[in-house]
Amino acid sequence: MTTTSMNPTSSDARYRQLLAAVRGLIRCDAVALLRLAPEGGPAVLQPVAVDGLAEEALGRRFPVAAHPRLARLMASGDGLRFPADAGIPDPYDGLLAHQHVLEEVHDCMGAPLRLEGRVWGLVTLDAMDPLAFDGVDGERLQAVVRLLETGIAAEETIAGLARRAEQEQALARAVQRDAPRELLGRSAAMVRLREEIDTVAGSDLTVLILGETGVGKELVAQRLHARSARAERPLVQINCAALPETLADSELFGHKRGAFTGAVADRIGKFELADGGTLLLDEVGELPLPVQAKLLRVLQSGDVQRPGSDRMQRVDVRVLAATNRDLREEVARGRFRADLYHRLSVYPLRVPSLRERGRDVLTLAGSFLEENQHRLGARNLRLSPQASQALLDQPWPGNVRELEHLISRAALRALAAQTASSASGRGGRWIAIEAEHLGLSAQEPMATGIAPDSEPVLDAEMERPELNSGLEGKQGQVEGQGLREATDAFQRRWIEAAIERNGGAMAAAARDAGMDRSNFLRLAKRLGIKG
């Protein structure tokens, strides 16, 4: 089917209108507009708009050297049409709508697009019918080229020189082999988030990054740093959840030799390492109160004193903090300092959960498939329509991290199935990720609202007497019940007891239960428990 983005930007919409006009001039099953990455790196083509291709194509990157058809189109001058028996692999095999795994694209043509005398990218047209383009002459193909080049020039003018330079830098970073991941997605929530990031990135304001586990808070921090004036200086990260109170001073501020038993040499702390750059305090909500007080003093004064030293050292550090906790609730409960909270939350940014991002899940899945494709040495991993729909139907309590792990498992299963098929002579031109490879049925309990990294209710929690308080005498009989019904019944009683112990306060009950608050509330809602 023809794919569209649920919340497109104006640029996306204009590009799709251009492709619709192209399909009006030349009948085809799919058309794609690909932009060439800026000079200075390997030649890579990135889809900016597609019509008739699977939505995952928008998450792909096509190195020209790895795709002979694209390389020939780039060098063709005025464009060309490939013979049906050309024998050259097609980069879109498996990406056309309604294409069977054993079918190949039969008719393909395209042409380079130029802007201000330079090659901007390509337009490609594909059809399953090998005779589809018999009536298309060079004049009509050039009419398509002129239409697209005019539209692209208009779009570039609208974007402006500054925006274009920023996009080219982002694309250059994306094609670097070891470049960090990008914040992919075209949903309205992600568009707003990127706009907010770009608004505050150039300042030195402290940013508090909020969001559930697995949504990509670290990527937000990386983007903030990369778009700041400190981008050439280090981004230093410290995991506050793994910071013992006894070693907090040493980790954050360093120490002098002999400052305490075991301090056999001078050590530089994270604040000094980040001098001139950015410091990310990940999981800042986990800091013990005594450590919070020491951190606050440094944030207020900008001076660091190593334990064992009498000298104060001035540091120039921009601080970012990230947490999946509700810090206002933590302040109300006396577990987080109010003054530190206000010092950190100068500019709060909320990262949306994956279930709020709609069809972004397919773009992300395409990106993860590309990573697995290179890691496994596999060729052409593609999502089937059924697998794509299964991904769209999931609630994703573990967010992007859960999707990443699921795609990695599915790629391994699909590769194993392909290997078996090839041995029996039934291998296709690409490896299709089918719904059964996702293994979602085996993950059904996860979709009840318990995140992948939450403690299992029926294992660890039953070993905690304080959580089972109030359940005695309420267990009842489970004869005639299936495992799922019995599990739900126990979870319902268990959660009701936790809420009762905490006077009806859902946030406190979630902490008592050792669960993330949002996951606790979703589970309670599914079980019909009202707070």
Side-chain angles (χ1 to χ4, degrees):
M1 64 178 182
T2 299
T3 58
T4 58
S5 192
M6 296 300 292
N7 293 286
T9 64
S10 57
S11 177
D12 298 332
R14 285 191 288 270
Y15 280 137
R16 286 203 307 276
Q17 289 169 358
L18 284 173
L19 295 190
V22 170
R23 295 190 76 172
L25 290 171
I26 300 178
R27 296 187 61 182
C28 59
D29 292 315
V31 58
L33 188 62
L34 302 98
R35 183 172 186 170
L36 184 66
E39 297 178 0
V44 175
L45 288 165
Q46 174 186 357
V48 296
V50 298
D51 194 345
L53 292 179
E55 196 161 354
E56 62 169 288
L58 291 170
R60 301 277 177 161
R61 304 293 184 270
F62 297 98
V64 174
H67 296 282
R69 288 196 184 224
L70 298 180
R72 287 188 58 183
L73 288 174
M74 290 288 291
S76 65
D78 295 331
L80 59 85
R81 177 188 178 191
F82 291 96
D85 58 352
I88 304 175
D90 193 294
Y92 300 147
D93 272 340
L95 289 176
L96 267 70
H98 311 302
Q99 185 184 4
H100 188 270
V101 70
L102 295 178
E103 290 182 310
E104 58 183 278
V105 178
H106 287 294
D107 214 349
C108 173
M109 66 188 307
L113 302 171
R114 293 176 175 81
L115 183 67
E116 298 177 352
R118 61 180 176 82
V119 176
W120 182 91
L122 283 179
V123 58
T124 61
L125 301 99
D126 292 271
M128 301 304 298
D129 181 359
L131 306 178
F133 301 145
D134 279 359
V136 180
D137 56 16
E139 183 177 347
R140 192 185 304 181
L141 181 58
Q142 285 306 302
V144 167
V145 170
R146 287 193 297 272
L147 169 69
L148 290 173
E149 288 178 344
T150 301
I152 291 167
E155 181 58 36
E156 293 288 322
T157 301
I158 293 171
L161 292 175
R163 182 171 178 83
R164 185 170 67 192
E166 179 182 288
Q167 290 173 339
E168 290 177 346
Q169 291 170 5
L171 285 170
R173 287 191 293 269
V175 301
Q176 294 173 1
R177 167 173 254 167
D178 298 322
R181 288 174 175 170
E182 293 182 83
L183 284 169
L184 295 176
R186 302 188 177 200
S187 63
M190 288 305 293
V191 170
R192 285 195 300 270
L193 176 61
R194 286 193 291 265
E195 289 174 348
E196 285 288 310
I197 291 172
D198 294 345
T199 296
V200 71
S203 73
D204 269 347
L205 294 181
T206 303
V207 178
L208 179 61
I209 307 168
L210 305 165
E212 298 176 11
T213 297
V215 294
K217 295 186 289 294
E218 185 176 344
L219 292 184
V220 172
Q222 290 172 358
R223 185 179 177 105
L224 283 165
H225 177 70
R227 282 161 172 72
S228 73
R230 301 171 180 265
E232 300 303 318
R233 302 292 295 169
L235 169 62
V236 178
Q237 179 176 344
I238 184 166
N239 183 356
C240 298
L243 192 62
E245 183 177 341
T246 53
L247 297 178
D249 282 359
S250 177
E251 288 292 325
L252 289 170
F253 316 124
H255 62 249
K256 296 290 289 183
R257 179 182 177 182
F260 52 85
T261 302
V264 296
D266 290 355
R267 178 174 181 176
I268 297 176
K270 293 297 191 291
F271 270 92
E272 288 184 64
L273 286 174
D275 192 20
T278 305
L279 176 64
L280 171 60
L281 302 171
D282 198 13
E283 303 296 347
V284 71
E286 310 299 326
L287 280 176
L289 282 169
V291 180
Q292 293 177 31
K294 297 173 183 177
L295 175 61
L296 178 64
R297 285 197 296 270
V298 175
L299 295 180
Q300 289 174 332
S301 66
D303 293 326
V304 171
Q305 182 178 14
R306 292 189 193 179
S309 172
D310 295 329
R311 186 172 66 88
M312 302 294 291
Q313 180 170 339
R314 171 73 60 172
V315 291
D316 174 23
V317 175
R318 187 200 190 164
V319 174
L320 310 176
T323 182
N324 61 0
R325 289 186 177 271
D326 183 345
L327 291 188
R328 286 178 294 187
E329 177 67 21
E330 294 294 294
V331 169
R333 299 284 295 179
R335 298 178 179 177
F336 201 85
R337 293 180 62 105
D339 44 8
L340 179 58
Y341 168 70
H342 291 298
R343 175 69 64 172
L344 294 175
S345 62
V346 177
Y347 201 107
L349 285 177
R350 178 183 172 275
V351 186
S353 63
L354 187 53
R355 61 186 170 277
E356 299 174 68
R357 295 174 56 180
R359 301 183 71 85
D360 281 356
V361 66
L362 298 181
T363 301
L364 290 165
S367 177
F368 294 142
L369 282 175
E370 191 79 13
E371 291 180 8
N372 281 277
Q373 190 167 287
H374 296 305
R375 183 162 55 241
L376 298 174
R379 181 165 173 255
N380 295 338
L381 290 172
R382 305 289 193 249
L383 286 173
S384 72
Q386 294 79 11
S388 295
Q389 189 58 51
L391 294 179
L392 291 171
D393 290 341
Q394 289 304 300
W396 301 113
N399 293 293
V400 179
R401 186 181 301 144
E402 181 186 354
L403 172 64
E404 178 188 3
H405 295 167
L406 183 143
I407 291 296
S408 296
R409 293 192 297 269
L412 281 172
R413 292 169 183 146
L415 181 59
Q418 171 75 1
T419 302
S421 297
S422 298
S424 61
R426 294 182 290 108
R429 292 173 60 85
W430 71 89
I431 300 175
I433 306 291
E434 302 291 351
E436 58 265 26
H437 296 144
L438 302 177
L440 289 170
S441 59
Q443 291 190 339
E444 187 176 350
M446 190 180 297
T448 62
I450 302 177
D453 52 353
S454 298
E455 297 181 13
V457 170
L458 294 180
D459 294 329
E461 303 302 350
M462 292 189 69
E463 302 300 323
R464 297 170 60 185
E466 72 275 16
L467 292 184
N468 291 322
S469 174
L471 291 181
E472 293 82 4
K474 297 182 182 181
Q475 300 297 330
Q477 300 297 317
V478 294
E479 286 83 4
Q481 287 183 316
L483 177 61
R484 180 61 180 270
E485 290 79 11
T487 300
D488 284 353
F490 175 80
Q491 288 179 330
R492 188 176 295 107
R493 291 192 296 270
W494 182 79
I495 287 179
E496 287 172 344
I499 295 172
E500 183 179 351
R501 283 194 305 274
N502 289 275
M506 300 294 279
R511 281 194 298 273
D512 190 16
M515 291 177 62
D516 178 80
R517 180 173 176 268
S518 59
N519 292 334
F520 183 90
L521 292 175
R522 281 198 301 275
L523 180 57
K525 181 179 180 181
R526 186 184 71 79
L527 296 173
I529 300 171
K530 296 182 179 179

